[in-house]
Amino acid sequence: MKKAIGARALAIGARALAIGARVLAIGILTLALVLLFGHNFKSEATLSITAEDMDRLIIAFDPSIPPYQFSEEGAYKGFNLDLIRALAASSDLKIELVAMPLSKGIEKFTLGEIDGILGVRYASQLEGQMEFSDSLVNSMISIVAPKEKIDDYKNSLGTNPVLIAVERDSVEFDFVRNVRKANFNQAFSQQSVFELLIMERAEMMIGVRHVAEYLLDKHKLEHLYTISNSFETPVDFYLGMRASRTR
């Protein structure tokens, strides 16, 4: 499983590097030039903006979306961060990547305290403030449940009560809210959604397939849970930049 995820990431990486600056194009050629470069990391607690920071871009990222961006052994890793580092090598611009929950990143972006968010899904409420790149990575929204119960849940969804773990303010959250007899236990990140499932605080989860695959492999739980192909829908992750920074 882990090798399969790695192979997909390498394939995406090869394609991204092959098309060069277009990887992060948003229809504005200059966005490829402002993509961040230098990779100093700060925690949210140390974030501050002064006159000395005006020549650099401050980008938030949520480190709870493995294998795209995550923390492991005291270091930030993942395809999205590797891509930014690779692009940084060819630019004179500076970037600070700041780890924080997505909700905090959106708050700081709205307040004008940061320039962008890495690994953000499309959000209509940010239109006009944020320019979205081409998709950095794409996956599917899938159902994950214990193997012995997955068929029952699929066949009875919408007819029998079921408790679902789901990320708040997401496409899948909107889906769950419209499923008859579905109760939900909401979390603020994909990793937290997974934790609700394995702690048996939900009967099933609906979330990003690649994240579920990675975490099931990491915790050696593939033999206990199944990822269903039913009810799947595509999901993409982008680099979102402040519109004024892309012009």
Side-chain angles (χ1 to χ4, degrees), residues 10-79:
L10 288 174
I12 295 170
R15 177 179 176 273
L17 292 175
I19 62 175
R22 184 181 176 278
V23 172
L24 297 176
I26 58 173
I28 301 171
L29 183 59
T30 53
L31 179 59
L33 300 177
V34 297
L35 293 180
L36 291 115
F37 310 100
H39 47 277
N40 298 317
F41 291 93
K42 286 185 177 182
S43 68
E44 180 188 342
T46 63
L47 176 62
S48 63
I49 304 176
T50 68
E52 296 177 357
D53 294 320
M54 296 303 290
D55 64 341
R56 68 182 62 183
L57 297 171
I58 300 177
I59 306 298
F61 69 97
D62 185 343
S64 63
I65 320 174
Y68 309 139
Q69 45 199 58
F70 60 101
S71 177
E72 185 176 77
E73 298 177 349
Y76 293 117
K77 303 178 181 180
F79 172 76

Side-chain angles (χ1 to χ4, degrees), residues 1 12 18 23 89 116 120 162 232:
M1 183 76 72
I12 295 170
V23 172
V120 65
V162 62
E232 285 194 326

Side-chain angles (χ1 to χ4, degrees), residues 72-139:
E72 185 176 77
E73 298 177 349
Y76 293 117
K77 303 178 181 180
F79 172 76
N80 289 348
L81 297 174
D82 290 343
L83 176 60
I84 290 298
R85 293 178 185 130
L87 292 174
S90 63
S91 172
D92 294 330
L93 297 177
K94 296 180 181 179
I95 176 177
E96 285 190 72
L97 294 170
V98 186
M100 65 180 69
L102 177 60
S103 58
K104 180 63 70 173
I106 291 175
E107 177 185 338
K108 287 185 175 293
F109 181 86
T110 302
L111 292 173
E113 296 179 10
I114 60 175
D115 298 301
I117 303 175
L118 179 66
V120 65
R121 301 196 211 183
Y122 173 76
S124 59
Q125 68 268 27
L126 294 175
E127 279 286 358
Q129 299 181 67
M130 179 178 284
E131 296 280 4
F132 293 89
S133 71
D134 283 352
S135 175
L136 301 180
V137 288
N138 57 72
S139 186

